[in-house]
Amino acid sequence: MAGSYPEGAPAVLADKRQQFGSRFLSDPARVFHHNAWDNVEWSEEQAAAAERKVQENSIQRVCQEKQVDYEINAHKYWNDFYKIHENGFFKDRHWLFTEFPELAPSQNQNHLKDWFLENKSEVCECRNNEDGPGLIMEEQHKCSLKSLEHKTQTPPVEENVTQKISDLEICADEFPGSSATYRILEVTFYSIIFVHMSDPGLFVYCCDFSSTAIELVQTNSEYDPSRCFAFVHDLCDEEKSYPVPKGSLDIIILIFVLSAIVPDKMQKAINRLSRLLKPGGMVLLRDYGRYDMAQLRFKKGQCLSGNFYVRGDGTRVYFFTQEEPDMLFTTAGLEKVQNLVDRRLQVNRGKQLTMYRVWIQCKYCKPLLSSTS
């Protein structure tokens, strides 16, 4: 979906992008000394002007007939998008590992352990509970740090056999990547599938609404079916199942994806994704924030509904407040690890232009604490 939309990609600074929050503009005279500045504070006048701009471009709405077309033919518009921009997908995406170190399995354990320790989780006995067809797992009544340990040995997989994964016992049929010890689902591909694959226990899944996008992934020379699995999937299709059982994923990545979904369908999509996470598994999100430069640039007649727009190529985009993803994830039973607004000033030093970007960055974790205990 929107994962590779050029307007959403953070700037690359020098040889390696610094983590958000590490470069501040204290002297306005130095604004063109770097490509971007973090945590830029907006004046009251600037915020008011942005609000007026959104009110102006939202007055005239897209007619209902066209809105139905954008929904029914969404796959066509995204296929066309990928055909046009196919050469821009396999770029250096190492900035993702800077902002989301959880994507590196060995580092992820330390981050999760620190987070659970800060929340004073306790170790307690497990009890059996049924969790959907083909999958039975022991859910923990309280957090056990042992369940966060990353196994280094790859267990053999047989049909309907019990796999011991830390303190969790999972009974499931064989599925793509079932023998992996760390599984990442990348909803729409952002080149994670071709980065940092040195860990032999890591398996990456990649899904996209566009069949053209998946074809681009599968035909790439770096695509290895033994290490990754790309498939077409509509997040909003409740009848279509994922190729992995519930409770089997360590990480789900949503990079400029949720904003491409009709707002009324977002909650059910998140609910379904959250069920795929292991206890202790995490969703990583980065998406468009309210009053981002891209929102202010829309003209009258491109607004579909409140803060939801259609681009000139027929693809759609929503602009979030900080509270909206929090409501979506917590309603799905996940717990907040991080939820921040990335207000960044990007600079075109050649043209002496300043561009105010607003992104939402979130990390939400599936609790090891059973909600039914």
Side-chain angles (χ1 to χ4, degrees):
M1 289 184 184
S4 295
Y5 217 83
E7 65 187 13
V12 176
L13 310 182
D15 293 329
K16 183 178 180 182
R17 182 180 182 277
Q18 298 181 5
Q19 189 169 18
F20 166 69
S22 60
R23 178 168 286 164
F24 306 100
L25 179 62
S26 56
D27 180 4
R30 293 175 53 83
V31 65
F32 293 107
H33 283 221
H34 296 288
N35 292 335
W37 301 92
D38 299 324
N39 283 327
V40 177
E41 293 187 8
W42 286 29
S43 65
E44 292 183 4
E45 293 79 9
Q46 184 179 5
E51 185 175 359
R52 287 195 300 271
K53 182 63 177 176
V54 169
Q55 290 175 349
E56 291 172 4
N57 68 24
S58 301
I59 293 176
Q60 182 181 343
R61 301 291 174 91
V62 175
C63 67
Q64 189 60 36
E65 182 180 355
K66 288 295 294 181
Q67 294 212 30
V68 172
D69 171 69
Y70 291 133
E71 174 67 9
I72 294 176
N73 296 310
H75 65 285
K76 173 184 177 297
Y77 292 115
W78 280 112
N79 281 339
D80 292 342
F81 168 83
Y82 280 109
K83 289 174 183 177
I84 294 172
H85 299 284
E86 63 177 281
N87 293 328
F89 292 136
F90 306 110
K91 296 179 180 179
D92 182 355
R93 303 298 189 189
H94 284 85
W95 67 267
L96 284 170
F97 293 91
T98 302
E99 296 296 342
F100 299 119
E102 295 82 3
L103 293 174
S106 59
Q107 297 180 41
N108 185 40
Q109 296 171 59
N110 294 331
H111 280 267
L112 283 174
K113 288 182 180 180
D114 290 343
W115 180 75
F116 281 117
L117 284 172
E118 288 173 4
N119 286 270
K120 299 179 181 179
S121 300
E122 300 175 3
V123 178
C124 193
E125 293 296 322
C126 303
R127 69 181 182 84
N128 289 330
N129 188 31
E130 203 168 81
D131 189 25
L135 180 69
I136 300 175
M137 66 166 58
E138 293 181 355
E139 290 190 21
Q140 295 179 320
H141 180 62
K142 294 279 181 122
C143 170
S144 169
L145 293 179
K146 290 183 180 180
S147 66
L148 303 177
E149 294 175 358
H150 180 56
K151 292 187 61 141
T152 58
Q153 299 296 323
T154 302
V157 178
E158 298 178 8
E159 187 173 353
N160 291 322
V161 299
T162 298
Q163 300 178 65
K164 189 72 175 179
I165 302 180
S166 299
D167 288 339
L168 302 177
E169 284 191 353
I170 299 179
C171 295
D173 294 336
E174 186 173 350
F175 57 93
S178 58
S179 62
T181 55
Y182 200 82
R183 305 184 190 95
I184 295 176
L185 169 61
E186 188 178 4
V187 182
T188 196
F189 75 97
Y190 216 72
S191 300
I192 288 296
I193 203 166
F194 302 128
V195 179
H196 202 81
M197 294 293 286
S198 59
D199 188 336
L202 174 63
F203 195 93
V204 179
Y205 305 89
C206 164
C207 69
D208 199 289
F209 186 46
S210 166
S211 58
T212 302
I214 296 304
E215 183 180 353
L216 286 170
V217 175
Q218 293 175 336
T219 56
N220 186 274
S221 59
E222 296 183 66
Y223 182 75
D224 181 358
S226 68
R227 303 296 311 283
C228 44
F229 181 73
F231 59 100
V232 177
H233 189 83
D234 180 0
L235 294 183
C236 301
D237 188 348
E238 298 180 53
E239 302 300 321
K240 191 172 182 180
S241 61
Y242 287 92
V244 297
K246 297 178 182 179
S248 60
L249 298 179
D250 294 276
I251 297 289
I252 296 175
I253 312 171
L254 300 171
I255 305 296
F256 301 102
V257 170
L258 201 58
S259 55
I261 297 176
V262 175
D264 291 344
K265 297 183 179 182
M266 290 181 184
Q267 187 64 68
K268 288 185 178 180
I270 294 298
N271 291 347
R272 295 180 67 230
L273 285 171
S274 68
R275 298 184 191 112
L276 301 179
L277 287 172
K278 298 176 182 177
M282 192 176 293
V283 174
L284 309 177
L285 174 139
R286 187 176 178 86
D287 222 319
Y288 298 100
R290 191 68 49 85
Y291 305 142
D292 176 60
M293 176 188 72
Q295 183 178 17
L296 304 186
R297 284 182 170 179
F298 278 107
K299 307 298 183 183
K300 293 180 181 178
Q302 291 182 277
C303 185
L304 299 163
S305 60
N307 303 295
F308 191 45
Y309 300 81
V310 61
R311 301 184 181 96
D313 60 5
T315 62
R316 298 169 294 178
V317 59
Y318 184 82
F319 296 87
F320 293 94
T321 64
Q322 194 173 5
E323 293 74 25
E324 288 171 327
D326 184 73
M327 178 63 71
L328 291 170
F329 290 125
T330 55
T331 299
L334 305 182
E335 296 180 353
K336 182 174 69 175
V337 177
Q338 180 191 77
N339 183 321
L340 57 85
V341 179
D342 181 348
R343 296 187 185 276
R344 192 167 304 200
L345 174 58
Q346 290 188 342
V347 174
N348 185 321
R349 288 185 281 181
K351 296 182 179 180
Q352 296 286 288
L353 296 176
T354 57
M355 300 164 283
Y356 288 88
R357 307 309 311 264
V358 183
W359 295 303
I360 304 295
Q361 183 164 304
C362 299
K363 303 176 184 180
Y364 281 79
C365 189
K366 188 170 186 177
L368 292 170
L369 188 69
S370 173
S371 59
T372 58
S373 299

